[in-house]
Amino acid sequence: MQNENPTLIEEDEISLLDLLQVIVENLKLLILGPLAAGLVALGISFVITPTFTAKTTVIPPSQSQGGGAAALLGQLGGLAGIAGGAAGIKTPTDQYIAYLESNTLRDELIEKFKLRERYKQKYQDTTRKVLKENVKITADKKSGLIAIEVSDKDPEFAANLANAYVAALSHMIGEMTLKEARSKRELLEKQITEATQKSYQSPIIREAIIQSLIREYETARLDEKKENPFLAQVDVAEIPELKAKPKKALIAVVTTLAVGFLLLLFVFIRSAWRNAQQDPESSEKLLSIQRVLRQQLPFKSKS
């Protein structure tokens, strides 16, 4: 193995010493500057109006919960298009989230809570966008739970709006389930009537078919009377006690680090510029660059 070039090692040491010298010479700026910026950012964070986040979770219906639920999922496929994301819908949970994020539901809540006035928006479309920014809807793939988080300056309003999302979804599920049960009952009534009037080869077969239809009819009639047996709200949104943002400490730390990095970059560039001006060869190159820039820039001054 060849020995390393002593000249290169010496140049590296000189370069590192030069960098260290620049840092030491500007140590006060590099310390006090970021600290001052962090304190200013911390002070500003106290002026920012705090935001509170309320959260509720629900268990959506599954396809195993009866014919009404299965038909409900099929009807939701059409509603999914309202949300503008039908192409990405793969599971029943995705379908419910699509409804929760649909303009149909948003418009219902905008009218109920007078969100145009609250958000100070002139148009319905911009009100929907503000509402979308303030609401986060996610699903846990393992548990299947749907979480609805609402952020607002008023903690009580945030909780009320979060629970209203659940109420709207529950109402929609109830309406669709009732519609399916009613349609099924009416169809079975017709089939029972036809079965009693139709002739069969065996009275036993005729009686078995009629009794089977009657059992299905009774099930559909009971489903029609159920208010909403499918949706379960696991956690009701409560009024949050702690604010979600601004995170004052995080704002101060991030600002301090960012300003510290920018100041470090600034002192290195300034030092390199000064050194280049003192070196005849580098100074000539800088003058050449300045001349080229004057010729190329469109806003150069006319003599």
Side-chain angles (χ1 to χ4, degrees):
M1 179 183 288
Q2 295 181 349
N3 295 330
E4 294 184 6
N5 192 333
T7 305
L8 293 176
I9 296 176
E10 184 178 352
E11 289 178 354
D12 288 341
E13 291 177 352
I14 294 173
S15 178
L16 290 174
L17 287 173
D18 289 342
L19 293 177
L20 181 60
Q21 183 181 6
V22 171
I23 293 175
V24 172
E25 290 175 351
N26 297 274
L27 196 58
K28 185 181 291 186
L29 174 65
L30 293 174
I31 293 177
L32 297 181
L35 287 177
L39 290 173
V40 171
L42 182 62
I44 293 175
S45 67
F46 279 97
V47 180
I48 300 174
T49 304
T51 300
F52 298 85
T53 299
K55 180 179 179 180
T56 179
T57 54
V58 296
I59 300 177
S62 64
Q63 288 175 302
S64 62
Q65 289 177 291
L72 173 61
L73 294 176
Q75 294 183 55
L76 272 174
L79 282 173
I82 302 174
I89 292 176
K90 298 178 181 179
T91 66
T93 299
D94 292 335
Q95 293 174 325
Y96 289 105
I97 291 179
Y99 176 74
L100 288 168
E101 294 180 339
S102 68
N103 287 338
T104 300
L105 179 58
R106 288 189 183 124
D107 289 346
E108 179 182 332
L109 296 176
I110 287 172
E111 181 179 356
K112 180 178 180 180
F113 289 93
K114 295 181 171 47
L115 295 183
R116 271 202 193 188
E117 293 80 0
R118 184 176 186 83
Y119 295 152
K120 299 178 181 179
Q121 298 296 318
K122 184 177 180 181
Y123 303 104
Q124 187 79 353
D125 187 53
T126 55
T127 309
R128 291 172 185 159
K129 291 179 180 178
V130 176
L131 179 59
K132 181 180 179 181
E133 292 172 357
N134 291 335
V135 178
K136 181 181 178 183
I137 301 174
T138 56
D140 188 298
K141 294 182 179 180
K142 293 183 178 180
S143 65
L145 291 175
I146 295 177
I148 304 169
E149 298 178 70
V150 178
S151 297
D152 195 84
K153 298 174 182 178
D154 182 352
E156 184 177 357
F157 180 84
N160 291 338
L161 185 56
N163 290 324
Y165 264 89
V166 178
L169 178 61
S170 178
H171 177 73
M172 181 272 297
I173 292 174
E175 288 291 318
M176 287 189 171
T177 304
L178 179 63
K179 181 179 178 182
E180 170 62 19
R182 184 182 295 115
S183 299
K184 186 176 181 180
R185 176 183 57 78
E186 292 173 352
L187 176 62
L188 287 168
E189 284 179 347
K190 183 179 179 182
Q191 290 177 340
I192 291 172
T193 301
E194 291 175 352
T196 56
Q197 296 174 352
K198 188 176 180 181
S199 60
Y200 293 87
Q201 293 179 354
S202 169
I204 298 176
I205 295 176
R206 176 177 179 275
E207 185 64 22
I209 291 175
I210 293 175
Q211 290 301 320
S212 176
L213 290 172
I214 290 175
R215 283 194 296 270
E216 289 187 44
Y217 169 81
E218 290 298 328
T219 301
R221 192 168 61 84
L222 291 174
D223 287 340
E224 191 176 359
K225 292 182 178 180
K226 292 179 182 178
E227 294 181 1
N228 185 8
F230 301 114
L231 185 66
Q233 189 172 7
V234 179
D235 293 316
V236 177
E238 297 180 350
I239 300 174
E241 298 177 350
L242 301 177
K243 59 181 176 295
K245 56 185 178 180
K247 300 183 183 295
K248 298 183 177 65
L250 181 62
I251 291 174
V253 171
V254 171
T255 302
T256 300
L257 294 176
V259 172
F261 173 78
L262 291 174
L263 285 177
L264 185 63
L265 186 64
F266 165 74
V267 297
F268 282 153
I269 294 175
R270 184 178 64 178
S271 176
W273 180 270
R274 289 175 178 174
N275 292 337
Q277 288 181 323
Q278 293 176 0
D279 181 65
E281 184 178 351
S282 298
S283 179
E284 180 61 32
K285 290 180 180 179
L286 288 175
L287 290 174
S288 176
I289 292 172
Q290 290 176 358
R291 286 194 295 268
V292 172
L293 287 175
R294 290 194 188 99
Q295 293 173 358
Q296 298 294 331
L297 292 178
F299 50 83
K300 62 181 180 178
S301 58
K302 296 181 181 179
S303 56

